[in-house]
Every structure is written in C-alpha cells, then in structure tokens.
Amino acid sequence: MIVRLGLAQINTTVGDLKGNVTKINEYIDLAEKKGVSILVFPELAITGYPPEDLVLRTGFIKDNLSALEKVREYTIDKELLVILGFVDFDFEIYNAAAVLHNGEKVAVYRKMHLPNYSVFDEKRYFSAGKKALILRNKNLRIGVNICEDLWVPSGPINEQTIFGANLIINLSASPFTAGKSRKRLELLSTRASEYSCAIAYCNLVGGQDELVFDGLSAVVLPDGRSFIARGFEEELFITDLDLDIATRYNLYEGKRKSFKANAELEEKEISFTLRDNIEFLTSHRIAEGIEEIFNALVLGLRDYVKKNGFSTVTLGLSGGMDSSLAACIAVEALGRENVVGVLMPSEYTSNTSIEDAKMLAKNLGIKTLTVPITAIYHSYLGTLSDAFKGREQDVTEENIQARIRGNILMALSNKFGWLVLATGNKSELATGYATLYGDMAGGFAVLKDVYKTDVYRLADYFNRTKKTEIIPRRVFEKPPSAELRPNQTDQDTLPPYETLDKILKLFIEEGLSANEILEHGFDNNTVNFTLKLLKKNEYKRRQGAPGIKISRRAFGKDWRMPITNDYNTTFMDGENGD
C-alpha cells in the first residue's frame, strides 16, 4: 500500500490571504502534475503564522473562511487530498486543519493542545479542540493533528493510533532556534517508533517579524528511517510511502496497547488513488551549528525587508565587526545592489577603521556614502556649551556622536525609502552598551540575538564559505571599539566578551541565579556587575528595533521583564537571587 505524499513547505505572509491562496493553489497544481495523492500544507497556511491579534477581528476571521472557500473550489475535479491550516470559527475560534477533496470540505480538525510559552500565545486567541480525527481509505488510516499536538506525550496521536492510524500527518509552524532542528527530528523518530506509525511533518518556512521558520519538513518511519526536506527554502517535498512498513512494525514491535483513549474520535471515509510502485525517496542535509544560524539570519532579514515593502537597506559602516557582518548578511539576503553603506567618521575615528570599512564595501561590491560628523558634533557642543558650563565631558558627548549618526541614517531612510539596519549585538543590548536613539536607531536589528563571540564565529564562517577575506583580517584582530573618545575599547567598560557572553547565556537562556553562575567559575564582582547592567537597561531594550530570534530566549516577545522592577537579581546578603 503506497501513497504519494507531498509536503508543501511554503513561505506565507501573515494577513496576505489573497497571496497565500494563490501560492497554495500553485502548489496544488504542481502536486497534481507530480501524481501526489495527499498534499499537506503548514499550520495556518491561509492566514500565515502567527496571526496574533488579527484573529480578534471578526472581519479577518470571515475573510480567512472566504479564502478557504476559494481553495475548496479550486480542488473541484482534482483527485488529490488537500490538508491545510486555517482559523475555524463557530462561537469561538480554533487553530484548525481543513481536509479538502474534489471540491468538498470533508473534515475539519481543531488543534487540541495550545502552546502558551516562549513566543507562543495561542491560549490568548484559540479554544482547544476536543476530537481526534482519522481519515480512512481502504486499509489506510490517517491521523491529522497540528504542531504541539505531536509534542505532548498524550496528544491525539494516542487515540489515532489506538484506532488503527498507520500515518500521522502533522501541520506545523515551528520557529527556528539554534540546535532545535536535530532535536525535532529525534522527537519525530521517537513518536514514530513508540506508536508504530509513519509520521509526515509539514513545517512552515520563512521569516515573520522576529521569528524564522526553517522548514525541514520530514517523513519519519517507525524503523528509524527519515526523509527530510530542504532547510530555509520553499519546496514541494514528495515521498512515496509504503505504509505496510508501519503495519509490519506494529506486528513485530507492537504499540503502546495499554494506552486508553482520552478524547473523542471522529472518523471520515474518503477515497483517493494509491500507487503500486515507489519513485520518490529523497532526503536533504540538515545544516547545523554556525551554518544554520547564518542561514536563519539571511532568511529572516530577506523576508522582513521584502514582506514590509522595502527593497534597499542602509547601515552605518564603522570598520568594526558588527557592521561588517551585518553588511555581509544583507548582501546575501538582498543582493549587493540593494545595500548602501554609510561611513560617518568623526575626529575619533581611526584611519584604519575608515580603510577597513572601505575595503569591506569594495569586497562586497556595495555602494557607499561618506557623511563626516565632526562639524555637526562641534555644532552640538557649541549649542550646548552654556547648558553644560562647569561640567566635565563624559558619556554624554559620546552619545551625542552616536545620535548624530542615527539621525543621518534616518534622514537617508526618509529621503530614499531605505530601511535602516541597526547593527548592535545581543551582548551590547544586554548590558546597555548601546545608545538609545543613536546606534540603536533603525527599522530592524539583524544581530539582535547574536552574542559578540558568535558575531566573530559567523564572520569567520562567512569568509570561509567565500574562500577569501571579504571581511578584512584586521577587523578580526583589532580590539572592539565604539571610537567615541580617544583610545577607547569596549573592554574599558565591559568584561572580556568571552566571559561576559558565558554569564549572559547562563542567566538569560539557562535561568541560573547569580550564586548558581558562580559555580561555573566566575568571580563575584564580574557576575554582579554584569547582572546589574542587564537589569538597569531593560528600558533601552523595550525601545529597540525588532530582530531575528535564533536562541532559546531572545530579547523581544520571548523576554517580558518589567521595566519598573525592584527585585534584586544579584547577591543579597549572602542569599540566592534570581
């Protein structure tokens, strides 16, 4: 019993119902030409994911249902079975999957387990479904569920396999974080083995605000074999499945027959063409480590720019590592013709920094503008001289320079319609080593979730993939500096980045307290200083540009600390602090 399965790993745009429907119909046509029997789309393919507060508008829900009707009509006289995500509604709203066949909506499944952690807020919007679903075609039994339903140990797969499902289809929108793709595949293999079934997992691909969806849809068999779609790009992934494998595996190994049904089950009889031979059994490589992070940053930037109606980006080129890497990612995402670098030297900018910025731009082939700020800076100082009389120069004068540069970049954005890229990294944002309305100014922060040490790793990876020094070697070797005063380096103010980043990761992503961090070999003063900086700069981060999430916990919707907050995160009279 062989079924040709197509996983339509598409890049949708939230709210673009017309565009999403057009893309869905194009993939239906392509799948039909390829002889696909079952075509699966990602979670909420009609609306895009996550639609957030759009689903609180009745007009949007109705338009989403009308869009689904257009897809249903498109399936008239088509043999393949189409399963796709949409927002269902009766008296409440549901994250749902529609099953379409030959112009009919033959079944609807409503997601039963709603995630409400990390970046997910589904309980804010949706009600949970109560019925598991099985589709029957002769000896083929298909269980349909959605994303989180498969991750929980006692989800609807339990009922579906108890009642004979040999194929589980999961519609998903699982956001990227570094290292997650391998763990996700391992979980799918575990589920396929313990429930003696094949699992077809169709994941979304593309960028949506700070989220990136990496695709890597997969078909996993209970004997441990897996077939994986491409990462970070659209694909109609086709696999011919011999579902007798699941039957034989169940006979040999059994499934968890002690499980009891905990939910109602709905069954629907349906007829579509099965095959008698196998033609498609392909698989792609999973990118890991720094490669997958780079791919996520490129995709996230490309989609943010294009989906928000921009074509060109601009960024300040300082000759430092952050702006150099941001420019490289921008060129990879958008093409060199759509990136403009702006040099804004001051009296404190070294000649080597200017040379490095120009060399980077030449190597990338991007256009540059030079707008010196020394005269503007001294004009500010003159204007403020009476107000500042009797005060020594301090960080105020440094921040004025950063804000002048932010003003220039925003002026270019206004004049030419360019999107400004903020180039700060996660280490700087965590500690407040960034100027509000200065270098934090911009429409999108491409390195917002990348620690400084990882910025260097990404830059090295980029140069290695290009087999030449696009980013000049001197940028790697010179001490990081904002160059806002004579002989300034970042380490005048901050701990060494190797130490700083480790402390930040332990606190932000692992949730360790100050005293627990000490157990990793750091000294009291460094830990205390770092966590005080993290806490006091929450107000800055709240006003920063959105950026791409790549870590377990990113600043943004994944980090919701109160600005007004009197809880001490550092050491308190020898007691533990969180």
Side-chain angles (χ1 to χ4, degrees):
M1 181 172 55
I2 297 170
V3 58
R4 177 161 294 176
L5 183 69
L7 303 181
Q9 179 177 285
I10 61 173
N11 187 340
T12 58
T13 299
V14 167
D16 184 11
L17 304 179
K18 182 178 179 180
N20 293 343
V21 167
T22 297
K23 180 168 289 189
I24 288 166
N25 289 344
E26 288 172 353
Y27 273 76
I28 290 173
D29 287 341
L30 179 58
E32 191 175 38
K33 291 177 183 177
K34 299 288 186 180
V36 168
S37 299
I38 304 174
L39 178 62
V40 187
F41 289 91
E43 180 178 9
L44 293 180
I46 292 286
T47 63
Y49 189 93
E52 298 186 305
D53 280 12
L54 285 173
V55 301
L56 302 181
R57 305 184 67 86
T58 54
F60 179 78
I61 295 171
K62 292 176 182 177
D63 288 343
N64 138 87
L65 294 173
S66 297
L68 178 65
E69 281 298 292
K70 288 182 170 61
V71 179
R72 180 194 61 76
E73 292 169 1
Y74 199 76
T75 65
I76 294 174
D77 297 328
K78 291 179 171 59
E79 288 297 320
L80 75 173
L81 188 72
V82 176
I83 305 174
L84 77 165
F86 76 109
V87 177
D88 197 16
F89 174 74
D90 48 28
F91 296 105
E92 299 181 30
I93 56 177
Y94 302 89
N95 183 338
V99 181
L100 310 177
H101 183 248
N102 195 17
E104 293 185 25
K105 184 167 67 176
V106 296
V108 169
Y109 169 76
R110 293 170 172 175
K111 188 174 183 178
M112 297 172 66
H113 294 272
L114 304 175
N116 215 58
Y117 54 85
S118 183
V119 299
F120 301 106
D121 287 309
E122 291 200 19
K123 289 184 180 179
R124 170 182 170 91
Y125 304 110
F126 301 114
S127 295
K130 294 179 172 57
K131 291 183 179 181
L133 174 66
I134 284 184
L135 307 172
R136 296 194 313 270
N137 180 355
K138 300 178 181 177
N139 292 328
L140 173 62
R141 283 177 169 77
I142 305 166
V144 177
N145 52 48
I146 300 174
C147 204
E148 190 79 3
D149 288 331
L150 197 59
W151 306 145
V152 296
S154 57
I157 188 175
N158 179 36
E159 282 75 27
Q160 290 164 335
T161 52
I162 283 175
F163 290 97
N166 43 14
L167 171 62
I168 299 296
I169 288 176
N170 182 267
L171 292 70
S172 187
S174 179
F176 169 85
T177 57
K180 182 180 178 181
S181 56
R182 180 63 63 182
K183 293 177 182 177
R184 194 166 55 203
L185 184 62
E186 290 171 358
L187 186 140
L188 290 171
S189 296
T190 297
R191 291 286 183 266
S193 175
E194 66 186 1
Y195 288 103
S196 299
C197 62
I199 294 177
Y201 165 81
C202 185
N203 193 28
L204 185 65
V205 71
Q208 171 58 33
D209 294 343
E210 62 215 79
L211 301 180
V212 172
F213 301 90
D214 54 352
L216 292 170
S217 300
V219 174
V220 180
L221 300 180
D223 60 9
R225 286 183 294 162
S226 58
F227 308 93
I228 306 162
R230 291 185 176 90
F232 303 100
E233 59 182 282
E234 291 185 304
E235 181 181 10
L236 174 59
F237 185 64
I238 299 175
T239 302
D240 287 346
L241 284 183
D242 181 359
L243 291 171
D244 288 337
I245 292 172
T247 303
R248 289 192 293 270
Y249 198 86
N250 185 34
L251 291 172
Y252 297 150
E253 302 289 339
K255 58 169 63 80
R256 294 185 174 182
K257 299 185 185 298
S258 60
F259 280 4
K260 295 182 180 179
N262 298 313
E264 299 176 53
L265 181 76
E266 180 181 6
E267 292 190 71
K268 293 285 185 178
E269 188 75 40
I270 194 165
S271 177
F272 53 86
T273 304
L274 298 177
R275 306 180 65 83
D276 57 7
N277 66 307
I278 291 178
E279 295 178 24
F280 292 96
L281 282 176
T282 60
S283 188
H284 301 284
R285 185 180 68 89
I286 296 178
E288 297 185 82
I290 212 70
E291 179 186 3
E292 67 170 355
I293 293 174
F294 189 86
N295 292 341
L297 294 173
V298 169
L299 178 57
L301 176 59
R302 178 188 298 130
D303 274 6
Y304 189 87
V305 171
K306 292 186 176 180
K307 291 181 180 181
N308 285 287
F310 292 94
S311 58
T312 301
V313 299
T314 187
L315 71 164
L317 290 183
S318 68
M321 182 55 80
D322 294 333
S323 64
S324 296
L325 177 62
C328 294
I329 292 169
V331 168
E332 286 294 295
L334 306 167
R336 65 186 62 184
E337 68 278 7
N338 295 313
V339 180
V340 179
V342 184
L343 284 71
M344 295 170 283
S346 76
E347 60 198 271
Y348 304 120
T349 304
S350 65
N351 289 332
T352 57
S353 291
I354 295 172
E355 292 169 3
D356 291 340
K358 289 182 176 179
M359 180 59 67
L360 172 80
K362 180 181 178 182
N363 293 344
L364 289 173
I366 64 173
K367 178 183 177 182
T368 61
L369 300 172
T370 300
V371 185
I373 70 164
T374 300
I376 304 172
Y377 173 55
H378 284 280
S379 176
Y380 264 78
L381 295 182
T383 301
L384 290 166
S385 59
D386 288 343
F388 287 178
K389 190 174 182 179
R391 298 273 183 168
E392 294 293 324
Q393 286 199 0
D394 55 21
V395 71
T396 305
E397 284 74 18
E398 296 178 28
N399 288 342
I400 285 172
Q401 297 168 67
R403 292 186 175 117
I404 289 169
R405 290 179 172 126
N407 199 349
I408 290 169
L409 289 171
M410 293 310 301
L412 293 170
S413 173
N414 289 161
K415 184 63 67 175
F416 299 108
W418 299 338
L419 177 71
V420 175
L421 298 184
T423 61
N425 60 66
K426 190 172 186 175
S427 308
E428 294 171 343
L429 290 171
T431 57
Y433 197 70
T435 303
L436 195 58
Y437 321 124
D439 55 322
M440 289 179 67
F444 199 63
V446 67
L447 302 178
K448 183 177 182 177
D449 198 29
V450 182
Y451 292 102
K452 184 72 169 187
T453 48
D454 288 331
V455 169
Y456 280 90
R457 292 173 63 215
L458 285 162
D460 178 66
Y461 165 80
F462 180 79
N463 274 1
R464 283 189 287 108
T465 59
K466 298 303 179 183
K467 299 181 180 179
T468 185
E469 288 188 358
I470 300 294
I471 301 174
R473 178 48 43 187
R474 190 162 55 187
V475 178
F476 289 87
E477 296 170 347
K478 63 187 177 184
S481 173
E483 293 192 325
L484 298 173
R485 64 174 185 264
N487 303 314
Q488 181 185 26
T489 69
D490 292 3
Q491 263 60 70
D492 296 338
T493 305
L494 299 175
Y497 280 117
E498 286 287 345
T499 299
L500 177 69
D501 289 354
K502 289 175 183 176
I503 294 171
L504 290 173
K505 287 180 182 179
L506 289 172
F507 187 83
I508 295 169
E509 295 172 38
E510 301 300 327
L512 271 60
S513 69
N515 282 345
E516 289 169 330
I517 292 172
L518 283 183
E519 297 173 6
H520 290 257
F522 301 102
D523 68 87
N524 289 18
N525 290 337
T526 304
V527 174
N528 225 10
F529 176 70
T530 299
L531 298 188
K532 282 182 177 179
L533 288 178
L534 178 68
K535 179 183 175 184
K536 73 182 287 188
N537 286 287
E538 190 62 44
Y539 78 100
K540 283 189 182 181
R541 291 188 291 272
R542 191 71 66 89
Q543 299 178 71
I548 304 162
K549 171 182 165 65
I550 61 162
S551 71
R552 287 180 58 192
R553 200 170 188 203
F555 296 133
K557 67 190 301 181
D558 202 18
W559 174 268
R560 307 181 193 185
M561 288 294 176
I563 296 174
T564 305
N565 169 16
D566 201 31
Y567 181 68
N568 193 342
T569 59
T570 55
F571 310 107
M572 299 183 295
D573 300 325
E575 297 179 2
N576 287 340
D578 286 332

